[in-house]
Amino acid sequence: MLGNALIGLREGLEASLVVSILVAFLVRTDRRRELPKVWLGVAVAIAVSIGVTLALTLSQQALTFEAQEALGGSLSIVAVGFVTWMIFWMRRVGRTIAAELEGGLEKAIAMGSAAVVVMAALAVGREGLETAVFFFAAAQAAGETTGPLIGFLAGIVVAVLLAYLIYRGAVKLNLGKFFTVTGVLLVFVAAGILAYGVHDLQEAGILPGLNTLAFDVSAAVPADSWYGTLLKGVFNFSPQTTVLEAVVWVLYVAIVLTLFLRRPRRPQSPAPAAPAGDTADTTV
C-alpha cells in the first residue's frame, strides 16, 4: 500500500503539474475558451491509462500459470525501465518543462482545436501510461489484495490536492527537493519490482536459479508479520530471495542511485579573449 501510494503521489503530481501549467498559461493569456479542449485531452489520457490497466489485468487472467509469470515478469522489467527513465527525465527538464509545455500549447492553438486536444492528451498521457504499467507491476508484486489500489488512489488524491494548492498559491513546495526525495525512494521501489520480475521469469522457466537461494530469513522475518508485510509492500522484500534476484537488486540500486544523486556537470564558459594588441600583465 505504501509503495503504491508513493507511485500515485509521484506520478499523480507530475501529471497534475502538467495540467496546472497548461491551465495557468491559458488563464494568464486570456484564452479561457481553449480550456474545455485541454480538459477533453486530459480526459482522453485518463481513459486510455485506465483502459491499459484493465487490458493488462484481463489478459493476464486468461493465461496459463507459466504465461502469467512470463507476462508479469516482462511487464515488471518494462515498468522499471519506464520509472528509471522518468526520474532522470524529470531531473533534466524540471526547470524548463513549463516553457516547453507553453510553447507546445501555443503552437497547438495556432493549428486548431483538434491539435489542442491531442497536445493535452499526449502531455498527460505519457505520465498516465507510465503510471498504468508501473502500478500494474507493483500491484502484482504486492499480491492480490485491495491494499495496492487503495494506496495508489490515496497517492493520486494527495497529488491532485497538492497541485491545486500550488496552482492557487496556497502552498509553496520545493519541487526540486520533492522530486529528488521521491526519486530516491522510487529507486528502491523499482529495485524491488525488478527483483520480483526476475523471480516471475524464474518461475516461468525463462531464467535459471529458482531454487538457488542467496538467503532465507523467513524465520526471523515472517511474511505474515507486520514488519514483513511492511518490507514487502514498500520494497518488495522477500524473506526467501534467490541469488539472481539479490544480484539484480544490488546492481540496480548501486548503479541507478549513484547516477541519480550525482550532480550533472555544468559546462564551463570559456574565458574572454584579451583584446588585440594587449599583453598579459606578469607584474607580481
Side-chain angles (χ1 to χ4, degrees), residues 37-50 120-121 124:
K37 302 163 191 174
V38 170
W39 288 118
L40 177 58
V42 172
V44 170
I46 294 174
V48 170
S49 302
I50 294 175
V124 179

Side-chain angles (χ1 to χ4, degrees), residues 1 18 26 30 45 55 91 112 129 140-141 153 196 199 205 246 254 280:
M1 181 174 179
V18 167
L26 293 178
D30 196 23
R91 188 186 68 170
L129 290 177
Q140 293 296 312
L153 293 178
Y196 176 83
H199 184 79

Side-chain angles (χ1 to χ4, degrees), residues 28-72:
R28 188 174 68 250
T29 58
D30 196 23
R31 296 172 178 175
R32 295 176 183 267
R33 64 184 181 278
E34 304 292 342
L35 285 174
K37 302 163 191 174
V38 170
W39 288 118
L40 177 58
V42 172
V44 170
I46 294 174
V48 170
S49 302
I50 294 175
V52 169
T53 305
L54 292 176
L56 290 174
T57 303
L58 294 175
S59 62
Q60 188 187 44
Q61 293 176 353
L63 300 175
T64 63
F65 174 77
E66 289 77 11
Q68 286 182 5
E69 298 302 300
L71 176 62

Side-chain angles (χ1 to χ4, degrees), residues 42-212:
V42 172
V44 170
I46 294 174
V48 170
S49 302
I50 294 175
V52 169
T53 305
L54 292 176
L56 290 174
T57 303
L58 294 175
S59 62
Q60 188 187 44
Q61 293 176 353
L63 300 175
T64 63
F65 174 77
E66 289 77 11
Q68 286 182 5
E69 298 302 300
L71 176 62
S74 301
L75 286 177
S76 295
I77 295 174
V78 171
V80 171
F82 276 159
V83 75
T84 304
W85 173 84
M86 176 266 296
I87 60 177
F88 283 100
W89 176 81
M90 180 54 69
R91 188 186 68 170
R92 180 174 58 86
V93 305
R95 295 182 179 181
T96 60
I97 188 172
E100 292 181 7
L101 287 172
E102 291 175 358
L105 185 56
E106 186 75 56
K107 294 178 181 177
I109 292 173
M111 294 173 64
S113 299
V116 175
V117 175
V118 172
M119 186 271 173
L122 292 177
V124 179
R126 176 180 55 194
E127 307 291 342
L129 290 177
E130 289 175 3
T131 305
V133 177
F134 197 42
F135 167 69
F136 177 81
Q140 293 296 312
E144 297 180 0
T145 65
T146 58
L149 180 60
I150 294 174
F152 178 73
L153 293 178
I156 291 290
V157 170
V158 173
V160 172
L161 179 60
L162 276 176
Y164 176 76
L165 293 176
I166 292 172
Y167 172 76
R168 301 297 297 181
V171 170
K172 298 294 183 181
L173 182 64
N174 188 323
L175 293 177
K177 290 184 178 179
F178 173 84
F179 285 126
T180 297
V181 172
T182 55
V184 170
L185 293 176
L186 277 179
V187 168
F188 288 99
V189 173
I193 294 175
L194 179 60
Y196 176 83
V198 168
H199 184 79
D200 271 359
L201 294 178
Q202 287 178 314
E203 289 192 332
I206 298 175
L207 293 178
L210 178 60
N211 298 316
T212 306

